[in-house]
Amino acid sequence: EDLGLDYVDCYMMHWPTRMTKESRVVNEAEGGKWEFDVVWSGDRKGIAESYAAMERLVDLGLVRSLGVSNFDIRLLGDLLADCRIPPLTNEVELHPYLAQFDLVEYCQKMNVHPVAYSPLGKMGYKSPGQPDLLSDPVIQCIAEETGKTPAQVVLRWNVQRGASVIPKSLTPSRIASNYDVLDWTLTASQTARLDGLDSDFRFVRVDWFDFDVKPPVSVNTTPPGQALIKHGEVDEHGFYRNNFGRAGKHLHTEVIIKRGLLEPEDLAANAKFLLPEKCLNAPIHIITDTVVDKIYGEQVLEGLRAAGLNVHKAVMRSDEGDESGESSTEHHKTMGELMACADLILERGINKNSCIISLGGGVVNNLAGVLAGMLYRGVSLVHLPTTTMSTFDAALDFKQAVNHPLGKNLLGSYYPASLIAIDPNALATLSERHCLNGIAEALKHGLTQSKELTDTIVEPLRHGDLHKVLRDGAYLESICKAALEIKAPTLDDYEKTDFNEFCPQYGHAVGHAVEHTSWSGPAHSPLLHGEAVAVGMCVSAEVALLKGICTQKVVDEHYDTIGATGLPCYVPASMNAETVIRQMRFDKHTLKNPAMGLCAELGGMAMNPEGDTYSFEVNEEELVAALEANVGRRDADATCGKCNTVFAPSKTKEAAPKVPPFQAGALNNPKASKSPKSGSPRRPEDILGPALPFVREVDLEKLREYRRDYLRHRCGAARGARGEIVDIAATGAMAA
């Protein structure tokens, strides 16, 4: 109304800074003098809230487009991930002394138009000692070559690289001269000479925003341009709905969440929403295991049949209790079990419109996924997960696989489920260890991406009765939704950045080694996967501190947060750094040194300043120091988190042997491979220790037998010819 306009073309956020309403200009001379009080500067949440208010102006028709100013790549990337209406422009200082090549390229890549303010430097008021851009000899020389003024040369340089320029002038002749930059071009040589003037020099500096204050690494809850949260919604049938997918080969999965979904009455009423329409009149086959079948097998079968569906059930084997004392199906994730299920399905009848339904944990999900991808060259697949590990991790992916005698998950494919239907009440029937096992995988996304998700998981466990909270369907439902909304974007955009690889792998480099070792013999108490990952996340925080990526506060928050859930925080007392590092050398992410993703803050991953990657190579000395820091905390603390049962000494097992301190570099340092007494080369057992003797001669059949035993017991140990424990991975290396 004051401007006499119906709308404004572009409404801009001039600085990524919020001041109090009392802040004001007290003198407009020389660029203005301010009295101000900064509330925040460069704060992602604050920027998102302010920009959301600007978006409402577009909704009201008062503004046609939005813009920002003085946003660097990190601020602009965060905003693009958080906003509904992308900014049309980013107005920043641009001239040959401050070319900002990376920022201009990023703006153009993200379809945000760069606008150059102060494109001629400062023509009026200057701070003492500031240079005169237009008097630069290179610019003067090019002006003579082109027959143009220095100002026209500088303006043309910006226009030619795709930026708009907004020089300020009150003189009509200069305004006309500034406009004369559109019908001629600079040569490649002239452009290169102007590019070479870049010295990162700013003419514009203000007291309320410091361009030079940057963290040692970029802190990201998600990569620039990728959504942080993919919000779901409740539909007219009461289902919470979400999805994830990927461009290219059709990979798309719908997800619904509803408490009580596995009850027979609910299944009967909602079956048509769970299956693709083409499957409703075709044979349907449920794949479950013997443990889950006792709880849910018949009621799910009954509910789907009550809906008029032609449903059959195939039950694969499962162990009521393995070496960890918990139920497990991993030993039966084999081709033999797959073929037994396939034989039964083919015998009972199947056609191209059939559907395979998995009812169980991650192993059942995976085996059913392989079946669905193979039978009739691909039939529909629906997951009904019943474990937290499946709900928060295994089912929420496109990867389907079974084990082979020579390795884990070697046979499989990318095959999407059409639907994942989650009943949070089913998770309340798990043992506490199994419940926490999957919660560790959800917490991984909280620690790397979202403080809010972390609090959703941890605070009820910290302040409530852990035993009751883990049986609370409402609590488990809240994690299901929050974890899915954070994880879905990492699946949608998986191939765009390695953030989406290293975020889901957080803590796994160390965690896999700790898990593997814990199953390797009677000296150790076996850990579940999520328990070992929890330990790995604490060690990863120690690594980040050693590299200067995070502060001690972030490390302390890791131990406090993970410990509050009841998950373990420390490497078990039966292991030392040497044991863990030796096993890490067989991880798929380890070439020369392990590659790890690291947190710069609680809820934010660190981008490596040496490249566009979230991968950090961690050398052996850093690993040793991080593991020793973790062990030092362990020795100073009598418990490992609150999950005392995990490390409770077993009455049937031998006491853990005393392990010697680790000498960094012993595995790849020639000097460290000399016998300390004679200087002669060490034997393998001199380096690896007498508790783990090598087998020097292994025939292929015996090696295959060891590998089969390895898969059967989910560990790296088997019996040698004389009954000794041998390390399968190491034995395989020696045989090769």
Side-chain angles (χ1 to χ4, degrees):
E1 289 177 359
D2 289 348
L3 293 172
L5 299 173
D6 294 327
Y7 62 87
V8 173
D9 281 299
C10 188
Y11 188 67
M12 299 180 65
M13 182 185 296
H14 202 71
W15 291 93
T17 301
R18 178 185 171 189
M19 301 177 185
T20 60
K21 290 185 177 180
E22 292 72 30
S23 301
R24 61 194 179 92
V25 178
V26 294
N27 183 354
E28 295 188 2
E30 298 184 354
K33 298 295 182 182
W34 287 73
E35 288 181 356
F36 62 90
D37 185 13
V38 172
V39 179
W40 50 253
S41 184
D43 178 70
R44 177 173 181 172
K45 184 177 181 181
I47 291 170
E49 290 174 348
S50 290
Y51 195 85
M54 294 165 60
E55 288 175 320
R56 289 193 288 274
L57 300 179
V58 178
D59 297 336
L60 293 170
L62 299 174
V63 170
R64 289 288 176 89
S65 62
L66 301 175
V68 294
S69 183
N70 298 299
F71 274 52
D72 61 15
I73 292 175
R74 181 175 68 87
L75 291 174
L76 185 57
D78 287 344
L79 178 61
L80 288 169
D82 296 338
C83 69
R84 265 191 312 117
I85 304 171
L88 179 70
T89 58
N90 184 20
E91 184 181 312
V92 293
E93 183 178 348
L94 288 178
H95 45 71
Y97 286 175
L98 185 66
Q100 304 208 67
F101 295 112
D102 291 341
L103 177 59
V104 170
E105 181 183 357
Y106 180 73
C107 286
Q108 292 168 339
K109 175 184 174 183
M110 305 310 293
N111 294 316
V112 177
H113 186 67
V115 177
Y117 71 72
S118 298
L120 305 177
K122 277 194 175 180
M123 302 301 293
Y125 53 91
K126 288 191 180 76
S127 300
Q130 285 190 333
D132 183 350
L133 176 67
L134 300 185
S135 297
D136 187 284
V138 172
I139 295 172
Q140 292 279 338
C141 181
I142 294 174
E144 291 181 14
E145 293 172 9
T146 57
K148 300 294 182 179
T149 67
Q152 289 172 327
V153 168
V154 171
L155 294 177
R156 178 64 206 178
W157 172 80
N158 250 325
V159 169
Q160 198 160 309
R161 63 202 291 241
S164 292
V165 292
I166 47 173
K168 184 188 296 185
S169 178
L170 299 177
T171 306
S173 60
R174 284 183 180 170
I175 293 173
S177 175
N178 289 342
Y179 189 73
D180 183 21
V181 295
L182 301 178
D183 58 356
W184 58 279
T185 60
L186 296 164
T187 66
S189 172
Q190 291 166 342
T191 300
R193 286 151 63 195
L194 289 168
D195 288 349
L197 296 178
D198 180 38
S199 59
D200 201 29
F201 177 82
R202 291 184 182 276
F203 286 99
V204 178
R205 292 192 175 274
V206 294
D207 295 330
W208 53 83
F209 185 79
D210 192 339
F211 291 99
D212 299 326
V213 174
K214 295 180 180 178
V217 291
S218 295
V219 181
N220 284 270
T221 56
T222 187
Q226 178 174 303
L228 170 62
I229 294 175
K230 189 169 189 175
H231 293 290
E233 58 184 17
V234 177
D235 67 13
E236 66 273 21
H237 305 293
F239 293 117
Y240 166 89
R241 285 192 175 272
N242 213 321
N243 64 79
F244 52 91
R246 198 173 300 164
K249 178 183 177 182
H250 182 71
L251 296 172
H252 183 87
T253 297
E254 293 290 323
V255 184
I256 64 173
I257 300 172
K258 187 174 186 288
R259 291 170 63 187
L261 186 62
L262 295 185
E263 296 298 327
E265 299 80 8
D266 271 47
L267 283 171
N270 297 312
K272 62 182 179 181
F273 303 121
L274 304 183
L275 303 174
E277 186 176 355
K278 68 176 184 178
C279 303
L280 297 179
N281 296 313
I284 295 164
H285 297 272
I286 298 171
I287 306 296
T288 189
D289 64 58
T290 52
V291 172
V292 175
D293 185 48
K294 292 177 182 178
I295 306 172
Y296 293 110
E298 287 304 310
Q299 76 176 50
V300 171
L301 192 66
E302 175 191 335
L304 293 177
R305 284 178 173 172
L309 302 177
N310 178 16
V311 188
H312 308 276
K313 182 178 65 174
V315 183
M316 64 180 290
R317 289 176 294 170
S318 185
D319 298 326
E320 294 281 353
D322 60 11
E323 294 90 332
S324 70
E326 298 289 330
S327 61
S328 173
T329 313
E330 183 70 28
H331 302 167
H332 307 289
K333 189 180 176 181
T334 63
M335 278 300 296
E337 207 73 29
L338 178 83
M339 294 311 297
C341 291
D343 290 345
L344 191 58
I345 290 170
L346 291 169
E347 180 183 330
R348 288 172 172 171
I350 184 175
N351 62 42
K352 64 182 181 180
N353 294 323
S354 289
C355 181
I356 303 295
I357 299 177
S358 75
L359 174 65
V363 170
V364 174
N365 300 156
N366 269 203
L367 187 138
V370 175
L371 272 173
M374 291 172 57
L375 291 167
Y376 276 56
R377 298 187 180 91
V379 297
S380 296
L381 172 66
V382 169
H383 289 316
L384 303 179
T386 61
T387 68
T388 54
M389 183 58 72
S390 173
T391 300
F392 301 142
D393 191 61
L396 297 183
D397 209 333
F398 306 114
K399 294 179 286 188
Q400 318 293 348
V402 295
N403 299 333
H404 184 277
L406 292 179
K408 182 178 172 68
N409 291 334
L410 293 184
L411 301 172
S413 64
Y414 282 82
Y415 195 77
S418 60
L419 180 77
I420 301 170
I422 299 170
D423 180 355
N425 288 351
L427 308 180
T429 65
L430 296 168
S431 71
E432 288 179 6
R433 277 188 75 184
H434 264 313
C435 194
L436 289 171
N437 184 40
I439 283 176
E441 292 285 359
L443 184 58
K444 163 192 71 183
H445 285 280
L447 293 175
T448 56
Q449 293 183 271
S450 169
K451 179 69 165 57
E452 289 76 12
L453 174 58
T454 302
D455 290 342
T456 297
I457 295 169
V458 175
E459 293 310 303
L461 295 171
R462 185 195 301 277
H463 300 295
D465 183 332
L466 181 142
H467 309 288
K468 291 181 179 178
V469 173
L470 294 179
R471 296 282 176 267
D472 182 355
Y475 166 72
L476 294 168
E477 181 181 25
S478 69
I479 301 179
C480 288
K481 293 178 180 178
L484 171 61
E485 291 182 347
I486 289 290
K487 183 170 181 176
T490 70
L491 295 166
D492 289 340
D493 298 316
Y494 182 79
E495 295 175 350
K496 293 182 180 179
T497 165
D498 65 1
F499 175 94
N500 298 321
E501 176 184 0
F502 284 99
C503 172
Q505 287 296 319
Y506 185 57
H508 281 59
V510 174
H512 280 152
V514 170
E515 178 188 10
H516 185 96
T517 305
S518 77
W519 289 82
S520 64
H524 306 289
S525 294
L527 294 180
L528 301 182
H529 176 70
E531 293 167 345
V533 168
V535 174
M537 291 190 289
C538 288
V539 176
S540 297
E542 298 281 8
V543 170
L545 177 64
L546 289 166
K547 284 184 166 291
I549 290 169
C550 76
T551 63
Q552 183 64 53
K553 178 175 179 286
V554 175
V555 178
D556 294 340
E557 286 174 334
H558 270 67
Y559 285 96
D560 173 66
T561 297
I562 292 170
T565 65
L567 286 161
C569 302
Y570 308 127
V571 173
S574 59
M575 303 177 198
N576 69 353
E578 177 182 4
T579 313
V580 176
I581 291 174
R582 181 173 65 240
Q583 190 55 53
M584 287 179 70
R585 300 207 177 282
F586 302 104
D587 188 275
K588 66 182 177 182
H589 290 97
T590 300
L591 298 175
K592 180 180 177 182
N593 289 314
M596 299 168 64
L598 300 170
C599 284
E601 61 185 34
L602 199 69
M605 285 274 279
M607 177 180 278
N608 195 322
E610 297 180 3
D612 186 19
T613 177
Y614 293 84
S615 170
F616 290 84
E617 185 175 296
V618 183
N619 63 44
E620 194 167 286
E621 287 72 20
E622 291 168 330
L623 276 174
V624 171
L627 286 161
E628 288 180 347
N630 179 271
V631 169
R633 281 182 179 254
R634 178 195 74 198
D635 294 342
D637 190 352
T639 61
C640 300
K642 294 180 181 177
C643 196
N644 298 318
T645 56
V646 176
F647 296 114
S650 170
K651 295 179 181 178
T652 61
K653 295 188 177 183
E654 302 171 12
K658 249 190 152 179
V659 285
F662 179 58
Q663 179 182 357
L667 298 184
N668 57 12
N669 184 348
K671 293 181 180 179
S673 296
K674 300 288 185 179
S675 170
K677 292 184 178 178
S678 64
S680 59
R682 283 182 166 185
R683 299 167 297 167
E685 57 263 41
D686 291 330
I687 299 174
L688 296 173
L692 201 61
F694 265 61
V695 175
R696 287 173 177 73
E697 296 180 6
V698 182
D699 64 45
L700 199 54
E701 278 307 311
K702 182 59 69 176
L703 179 58
R704 287 188 179 126
E705 182 183 330
Y706 288 152
R707 294 291 291 183
R708 284 193 293 271
D709 198 56
Y710 159 72
L711 285 171
R712 170 126 185 101
H713 293 94
R714 296 165 62 203
C715 65
R719 295 287 169 182
R722 299 183 302 278
E724 76 276 21
I725 298 293
V726 296
D727 185 288
I728 296 309
T731 302
M734 289 292 284

